[in-house]
Amino acid sequence: MARDNDQVKKAFELVRLGDEAVLKENYLNEDGVYHLEVDLRKSSPFDPYAGTRALDPSLFTYVDSFRKAMVNLAPIAVDFLVEDPRQEEERLIEEAFRRHYRMELCECQRERKRLKIVSAVFLLVGALLLALAIAMGFTDFGLVDDVIGEIVSIAAWVFVWAAVEKVFFDLRDLKKDAIYNAVMSLTDISFKRRGNADAGNDRP
């Protein structure tokens, strides 16, 4: 029972401290930057279908899961652990890493432009339908006219709400993604050799 109580107390303490406790303990360096180590010593980091133009997607799954746990885009650095000092391969790895996030940024920008056009069209259609519904309110053709007018009014507000949702929610999320990808494309990258991975003798 005492052990269970200790676990509960520790759980509440973790909740109180939040994510910063884990991140500072494991990743925060003395320079105030969160360092993420990516071990490339056991397998090739490149996507087998892309040659040296792209890195393995699982690498970005790992990096993004770490990066998105950070608060307010805190400064981070990615430290690649490598087996042999081959500068040409390191250059290709860094270029592929940055290229990935630049391409993601381009995709976000294109999607933002598309959403702006779609939301404007939806808003225009909603306004036209709403005007039609109001105009039908001044006519009196019986029950059928009332039903059609109600349907048109509902459709108008659906289009208006869809436009508002895209502007205030979808576009906001895409802007956050764009900022994230832009920051990641500029992330500090270093390479550590196997023999001095813990000695801090890095090549920026």
Side-chain angles (χ1 to χ4, degrees):
M1 182 63 70
R3 183 178 179 182
D4 291 341
N5 289 336
D6 289 341
Q7 288 181 336
V8 171
K9 290 179 181 179
K10 289 179 180 179
F12 276 107
E13 183 68 12
L14 284 175
V15 172
R16 185 182 68 82
L17 293 175
D19 54 3
E20 283 297 299
V22 176
L23 294 172
K24 286 182 179 179
E25 178 182 352
N26 296 283
Y27 301 104
L28 185 62
N29 204 304
E30 62 275 1
D31 57 4
V33 177
Y34 292 89
H35 284 256
L36 174 64
E37 290 187 346
V38 181
D39 196 338
L40 305 181
R41 295 174 295 182
K42 295 183 179 179
S43 61
S44 171
F46 297 106
D47 189 324
Y49 299 103
T52 59
R53 296 288 297 173
L55 298 178
D56 192 313
S58 62
L59 184 149
F60 295 106
T61 300
Y62 172 59
V63 173
D64 289 340
S65 66
F66 168 79
R67 190 64 177 96
K68 291 180 179 180
M70 307 301 297
V71 179
N72 297 326
L73 291 178
I76 77 162
V78 177
D79 301 326
F80 289 110
L81 304 184
V82 294
E83 186 73 34
D84 301 314
R86 291 179 290 182
Q87 293 189 359
E88 177 62 18
E89 184 179 57
E90 293 172 5
R91 181 185 66 80
L92 293 173
I93 291 172
E94 181 173 348
E95 288 180 356
F97 183 89
R98 299 192 189 283
R99 185 184 301 114
H100 168 82
Y101 287 104
R102 293 287 171 86
M103 292 175 65
E104 291 292 317
L105 174 60
C106 291
E107 184 176 349
C108 284
Q109 297 294 63
R110 287 195 297 270
E111 185 63 16
R112 289 183 68 200
K113 291 179 181 178
R114 188 190 71 82
L115 273 182
K116 287 178 181 180
I117 295 174
V118 170
S119 61
V121 171
F122 279 10
L123 187 60
L124 178 61
V125 172
L128 292 175
L129 289 175
L130 192 59
L132 178 61
I134 294 174
M136 293 181 68
F138 291 100
T139 62
D140 186 12
F141 295 105
L143 180 61
V144 174
D145 183 64
D146 291 339
V147 172
I148 294 176
E150 190 66 26
I151 293 174
V152 171
S153 177
I154 292 173
W157 287 113
V158 168
F159 275 98
V160 171
W161 171 248
V164 171
E165 182 181 30
K166 291 183 181 301
V167 170
F168 289 99
F169 296 99
D170 295 348
L171 278 176
R172 183 187 62 182
D173 291 341
L174 279 173
K175 184 177 181 181
K176 289 171 59 178
D177 290 342
I179 293 173
Y180 170 81
N181 289 310
V183 169
M184 289 302 294
S185 72
L186 301 172
T187 295
D188 290 335
I189 295 174
S190 63
F191 292 87
K192 295 182 177 181
R193 309 301 190 268
R194 184 173 188 176
N196 60 10
D198 298 322
N201 184 18
D202 309 333
R203 183 183 66 80

